[in-house]
Amino acid sequence: MARRSFDWKSVTEQIKKQDKPKSFGGGDDDLFKPQVNKEGNAMILMRFLPPHLDEELPFVKKYSHGFQGPNGWFIEDCPTSIGEKCPVCTFNSSIWDSDEQRARNQKRKLSLYANVMILKDENNPENNGKIFKYRYGIKIHEKIMEKIAPESSIDDPIQVFDYESGANFKLKVKTVKSGARSYPNYDSSSFAEPSALSINGSVLSDAELDEVDAKLLRLQPLVEKKNFKSYKDLAIKLSSKIGEVIPIEPGGYQKPAPKVEASIPEAPEAPSESFSESTSQSNDNGFLNDDDENDDDFFKKLKGDED
């Protein structure tokens, strides 16, 4: 089979468009979950891979909410991932001026997903040579963007997802303690120099790369509309968890839903496993600690839409 080629210039332009802030107007067996050692650290050499043969981009973005209300945890995917309105985001924008901290605690969290090949996993060598979906946050995404679309003209772009001219990624997870909490830090992670994809020092042949192509996992199903709950269903669940009136329609704050009785709190639920890479690598809400985007402009735009 002839080695497929990539128009990385076109792909990079699409990535840059997707990476711009939008002008707003479940568990997975194939998910790679880094495991830390007894010291709370992990060192993994991996390679970000090209997109699946049926897809155009090498990663997808997905927003989620995960926070604990008076009546339990609210953990759901955010419809803004697919360009639709979200009752949590709308509610957060309504309290932004009066309770900014609460709005921030309940804000959407960004996750990105890409195909990766694990080249060397010190804590789990059985992963070596395998392909997974990898969920990562904004810090690692920024490291990727710094390579494929550098801000400085003195830096040459590196198409890190490419088989021949890409670069291995050295994922370094260090558990940091802050009081009674522990969370992972990825600051020391970095890309190596550009090189062809190789395993144990042996560059993969065209035939072997064709085999890798055949094993790539589709990412678009993660952001298919059918996998997101409706605005109404999310609003009803949000009402039950926070014990406050949440309209069941976008822009319905003048026509609120019936008040939800919340006099008898439910026992808090445990965060869904699908929102956590591992207990030792997540914050108290079960999210990676590096996925916090600056959503100030997003909140302001939503607030303007409601006024």
Side-chain angles (χ1 to χ4, degrees), residues 150-166:
E151 293 183 1
S152 172
S153 60
I154 66 174
D155 295 319
D156 294 326
I158 299 172
Q159 304 300 345
V160 299
F161 296 96
D162 190 71
Y163 288 137
E164 283 83 17
S165 59

Side-chain angles (χ1 to χ4, degrees), residues 12-242:
T12 298
E13 288 304 311
Q14 293 186 63
I15 290 174
K16 289 165 70 175
K17 288 180 181 178
Q18 188 184 85
D19 199 50
K20 291 180 179 178
K22 290 180 181 289
S23 54
F24 294 90
D28 194 328
D29 292 337
D30 295 321
L31 195 66
F32 176 64
K33 301 175 182 179
Q35 298 296 315
V36 296
N37 58 23
K38 61 182 180 180
E39 287 79 27
N41 302 322
M43 297 186 67
I44 299 159
L45 186 67
M46 63 169 62
R47 182 79 167 222
F48 286 94
L49 301 176
H52 184 277
L53 291 166
D54 297 331
E55 298 178 346
E56 294 183 353
L57 297 179
F59 63 79
V60 296
K61 285 184 172 184
K62 189 175 185 180
Y63 290 98
S64 306
H65 292 279
F67 57 88
Q68 189 173 17
N71 301 330
W73 283 89
F74 182 94
I75 299 179
E76 295 290 345
D77 292 333
C78 177
T80 62
S81 303
I82 54 173
E84 298 191 352
K85 291 187 176 182
C86 167
V88 185
C89 294
T90 300
F91 176 72
N92 288 343
S93 71
S94 74
I95 64 172
W96 180 256
D97 292 336
S98 59
D99 196 345
E100 180 180 334
Q101 187 56 52
R102 182 185 180 191
R104 290 190 181 279
N105 291 341
Q106 298 177 168
K107 67 182 287 188
R108 61 184 192 167
K109 302 290 183 179
L110 173 65
S111 293
L112 299 103
Y113 295 81
N115 277 284
V116 296
M117 176 182 284
I118 306 304
L119 303 176
K120 185 177 182 180
D121 186 342
E122 292 185 346
N123 297 336
N124 288 285
E126 63 272 18
N127 289 331
N128 296 349
K130 294 182 180 179
I131 295 172
F132 298 90
K133 293 175 188 172
Y134 177 50
R135 171 181 174 263
Y136 56 99
I138 191 66
K139 283 188 177 180
I140 291 177
H141 181 62
E142 287 174 348
K143 293 178 184 293
I144 292 173
M145 294 304 298
E146 286 172 4
K147 293 297 182 182
I148 67 175
E151 293 183 1
S152 172
S153 60
I154 66 174
D155 295 319
D156 294 326
I158 299 172
Q159 304 300 345
V160 299
F161 296 96
D162 190 71
Y163 288 137
E164 283 83 17
S165 59
N168 295 340
F169 186 66
K170 296 176 283 188
L171 178 66
K172 298 180 180 180
V173 185
K174 297 181 180 179
T175 300
V176 178
K177 293 185 177 181
S178 177
R181 297 179 56 198
S182 297
Y183 61 91
N185 180 277
Y186 303 89
D187 289 348
S188 298
S189 301
S190 62
F191 281 97
E193 292 299 313
S195 63
L197 178 60
S198 63
I199 297 179
N200 297 325
S202 177
V203 175
L204 271 62
S205 66
D206 283 350
E208 290 171 323
L209 290 176
D210 288 336
E211 292 178 6
V212 174
D213 268 347
K215 295 177 182 178
L216 292 173
L217 303 164
R218 295 187 68 238
L219 304 176
Q220 284 302 314
L222 292 167
V223 288
E224 288 181 350
K225 184 174 181 178
K226 66 180 181 181
N227 294 324
F228 291 81
K229 292 183 178 178
S230 70
Y231 191 101
K232 178 180 178 180
D233 289 344
L234 290 173
I236 291 173
K237 182 171 182 179
L238 178 62
S239 293
S240 71
K241 297 304 181 183
I242 67 175

